[in-house]
């Protein structure tokens, strides 16, 4: 059973499962686990690991349109080096400070590889879920896509300083709050744009028609500028940006006439990439496969 099948099993058992974070009253809560072998390439500093691990959970809070309030983490490793633990905590503290949250500690445990579990909390009386999109609306993304793919390229090239910088993203908490009054459905792009669209489509019972030229690809992502459509080869910048995942931008739907008002409230770009349709997920008129990040691969 792969991760997605396991998640579906949990969803059958837990009625509240299925969004980026759980909602308890006005509190949203989420938890993530990251491992050295699958999530932190060689060259990742402990500072970056602390930032990225806690940031991933804060991104789930952002996707619910909630104000981030706090975070905790579990740090597991074969041994505890003082410099490593301190660097990790400083990364966690700094990413929380970036979004107005508080890192309040956690736990230490022996583990056979460096492993982190993080929980983030937020508050909102009106959470944005994945199931509210309607045909006739538009679909948009914050920021740009491909940052994590560019980081992996930099790690592979031995450009560790640049790679660590790219790996430290700003969770879109402020953008999520600004979108809260207008977004009808929302999630983060940790699984990639393509897979996020399929997940939103399934949750809302709709489809999406995306224009490849509209997808904002980060300038940091090197490679061919050619965009061969939804079936482009694996080296194509657009294809990688749409399917690699781990970018932690927000993917949302909203009425077309609300876009400009929302942009005025945001401190990051918001790009309309397509329309909400009755069914199907396409890019440039071709089927966009349900391809994206799967934990553990």
């Amino acid at each position: 059973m792969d991760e997605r099948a396991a998640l579906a099993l949990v969803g059958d058992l837990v009625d509240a499962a299925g969004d980026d974070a759980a909602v308890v009253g006005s509190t949203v809560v989420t938890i993530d686990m990251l491992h050295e072998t699958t999530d932190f390439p060689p060259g990742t500093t402990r500072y970056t690991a602390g930032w990225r691990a806690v940031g991933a959970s804060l991104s789930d809070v952002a996707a619910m349109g909630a104000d981030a309030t706090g975070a905790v983490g579990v740090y597991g490793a074969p041994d505890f080096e003082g410099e490593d633990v301190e660097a990790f905590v400083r990364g966690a503290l700094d990413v929380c400070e970036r979004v107005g949250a508080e890192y309040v500690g956690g736990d230490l445990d022996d583990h056979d590889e460096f492993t982190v579990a993080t929980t983030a909390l937020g508050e909102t009386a009106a959470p944005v879920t994945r199931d509210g999109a309607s045909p006739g609306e538009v679909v948009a993304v914050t920021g740009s896509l491909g940052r994590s793919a560019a980081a992996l390229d930099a790690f592979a090239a031995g450009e560790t300083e640049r790679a660590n910088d790219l790996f430290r993203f700003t969770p879109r908490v402020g953008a999520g709050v600004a979108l809260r009054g207008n977004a009808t459905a929302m999630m983060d792009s940790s699984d990639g744009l393509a897979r996020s669209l399929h997940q939103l489509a399934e949750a809302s019972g709709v489809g999406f028609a995306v224009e490849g030229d509209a997808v904002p690809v980060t300038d940091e992502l090197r490679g061919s500028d050619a965009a061969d459509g939804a079936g482009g080869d694996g080296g194509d910048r657009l294809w990688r940006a749409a399917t690699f995942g781990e970018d932690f931008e927000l993917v949302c739907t909203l009425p077309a006439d609300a876009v400009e008002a929302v942009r005025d409230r945001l401190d990051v770009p918001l790009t309309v990439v397509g329309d909400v349709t009755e069914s199907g997920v396409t890019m440039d008129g071709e089927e966009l496969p349900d391809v994206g990040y799967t934990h553990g691969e």
Side-chain angles (χ1 to χ4, degrees), residues 196-276:
S196 296
L197 292 172
H198 278 272
Q199 291 170 335
L200 286 172
E202 181 178 2
S204 291
V206 297
F208 294 100
V210 174
E211 298 297 326
D213 288 345
V215 176
V217 181
T218 180
D219 292 338
E220 297 284 356
L221 185 58
R222 299 169 180 171
S224 170
D225 288 326
D228 298 328
D233 67 45
D236 175 73
R237 292 177 70 245
L238 172 61
W239 180 248
R240 293 188 70 204
T243 62
F244 187 88
E246 294 291 275
D247 283 322
F248 303 100
E249 295 293 347
L250 298 180
V251 183
C252 65
T253 59
L254 69 166
D257 59 9
V259 172
E260 290 306 317
V262 170
R263 281 177 175 153
D264 289 342
R265 300 197 299 266
L266 292 177
D267 59 359
V268 295
L270 181 72
T271 304
V272 173
V273 297
D275 299 306
V276 184

Side-chain angles (χ1 to χ4, degrees), residues 18-19 63-64 127-139 180 182-187 199-208 251-255 276-277:
D19 282 296
M64 303 298 289
V128 185
T129 58
R130 299 181 181 185
D131 60 359
S134 299
E137 296 174 339
V138 297
V139 58
R180 184 168 62 204
N182 296 100
T184 55
M186 187 159 63
M187 65 181 295
Q199 291 170 335
L200 286 172
E202 181 178 2
S204 291
V206 297
F208 294 100
V251 183
C252 65
T253 59
L254 69 166
V276 184
T277 62

Side-chain angles (χ1 to χ4, degrees), residues 26-30 54 57-62 65-72 92-93 95-97 99-105 119-124 173 177 180:
S26 62
T27 299
V28 301
V29 57
T30 183
V54 174
S57 291
L58 290 169
S59 180
D60 286 336
V61 171
D67 293 281
T69 56
V72 296
L93 287 166
V95 72
C96 282
E97 182 180 2
V99 299
E102 185 177 5
Y103 186 71
V104 293
T119 293
L121 302 169
E123 288 290 325
T124 177
V173 174
V177 171
R180 184 168 62 204

Side-chain angles (χ1 to χ4, degrees), residues 103-188:
Y103 186 71
V104 293
D107 191 22
L108 297 171
D109 197 8
D110 294 328
H111 201 279
D112 56 4
E113 70 167 330
F114 174 51
T115 298
V116 183
T118 56
T119 293
L121 302 169
E123 288 290 325
T124 177
V128 185
T129 58
R130 299 181 181 185
D131 60 359
S134 299
E137 296 174 339
V138 297
V139 58
V141 299
T142 60
S144 60
L145 305 176
R147 183 182 178 96
S148 286
L152 266 290
D153 290 344
F155 278 121
E159 302 170 3
T160 55
E161 183 175 352
R162 175 173 174 267
N164 276 278
D165 180 68
L166 288 168
F167 237 30
R168 295 191 296 268
F169 63 92
T170 298
R172 301 305 191 192
V173 174
V177 171
L179 282 158
R180 184 168 62 204
N182 296 100
T184 55
M186 187 159 63
M187 65 181 295
D188 79 0

